[in-house]
Amino acid sequence: MSKYIKVGSGGGEMTWHRAMLDMEPGDYLLLEPGYYVWPRGRLLEDVTIKGLGASPEDTRIRSFFSIGENSSRVVFENLTLEPYGDVNTLDLPEETNSYLILRGCVLTGTGSKTTTISVNGQDTVEMYSCRLLNGTLSFFEKANFRLEMADCLLDYESEKFGTISLEGTGTAIINNSEIRGTVNSFDSSNIELNINNSAIGNLNLGGKSWVNVYACRFLNRDYSLYARGECWLNILESQMPSQLAIEDHCHLLMQNSQLYNFQARGESQSFLSNVQIAAAASLEGKSFMDGSLVTFSGNGDYPYFIFLVDQAVLKGRNLQFDPQNWPVLVDNDARLVANALYYQGAPLEIKCEHPENISLMGIKWTERKE
């Protein structure tokens, strides 16, 4: 039978120690503002723990919790969770099939490889109006998961660990949030990832990842997106201030977006419409690009603002070229087949090994001699 238990130091209230010892499935713990420590950790099954303060910082819990295999739902609301030692703050083991719901919470991590929220089972994690600081959210290889996140801030930038790591099989939906770090998927991943109206550090994707990005800003100045394996990427109305790179068998559909630098390798295929590339576009291997209303610009950061080598192919319609006096390279067996919008500047300079592999309509070009 469900019980509402008020915990605090006032008269008629249960102590934190007694509440932890006596807590049963179905209980609702209502915590008065304060600092609660439980060094032993606790197994939770079908309980709700809610802070009664004006903000989540008013009610702090320093401990660690594991979700029991018989639990269907565990809820944390309006409180701060702090780690106790070098262990996962919230752990969902392989045998779980549960919901973990976080509303208006703050979670602080250890800034190390220790995961703040660790998911290994068939679980759903819901996070609304939460902050995860200096910690990570990880779904591991055996997980079969669903993540729903809205109005959240995840603030942890690391060169070693992803802020969100998506391994195993599952779906992640991120709306109206800010992730100051990396979202990873791995070679063993089989996931669907949807990010909408959000700011994100970068994406590092592998395996079978189906990714939709809508109206997002990427924050990292080193690279915005790197994808390998068999990723399928659909990017709309987004801004990437650094590099977008794809390889292997990746497929990219990108529309109404801006990016700094584009790189494609392997047998990747790209389809771009109304996209602005600020610095350079590079295609290698057997990569293929088909563009419509794509603007290729040069800014001097690369010796060629279009770089085609090996057996790469760039095709397009109504392309715009803004070379700023920087040349194009079409080398080896690469091909450039496109028509361009009217360009008033000097003829486009192209360094090429086989001029017959170039077919440009609507723009004057000349072979660059060196």
Side-chain angles (χ1 to χ4, degrees), residues 8 11 54 59 145-146 163-164 219 248 277 287 327 338 346:
T59 308
F145 66 87
R146 181 177 179 85
T163 309
I164 300 178
L219 307 174
D248 297 333
I277 303 175
S287 59

Side-chain angles (χ1 to χ4, degrees), residues 246-315:
I246 60 175
E247 61 181 33
D248 297 333
H249 297 279
C250 289
H251 288 72
L252 169 67
L253 174 62
M254 191 173 194
Q255 303 177 66
N256 305 330
S257 298
Q258 299 85 41
L259 66 149
Y260 172 75
N261 172 253
F262 178 85
Q263 292 191 7
R265 295 181 288 271
E267 298 182 22
S268 60
Q269 297 188 19
S270 309
F271 303 88
L272 277 60
S273 177
N274 194 27
V275 172
Q276 298 179 16
I277 303 175
S282 171
L283 280 72
E284 304 175 37
K286 296 182 179 180
S287 59
F288 171 83
M289 178 192 287
D290 188 313
S292 175
L293 289 173
V294 178
T295 299
F296 297 91
S297 299
N299 67 356
D301 287 348
Y302 298 87
Y304 302 99
F305 80 100
I306 296 178
F307 182 89
L308 307 177
V309 297
D310 303 324
Q311 296 174 274
V313 176
L314 171 58
K315 298 178 63 176

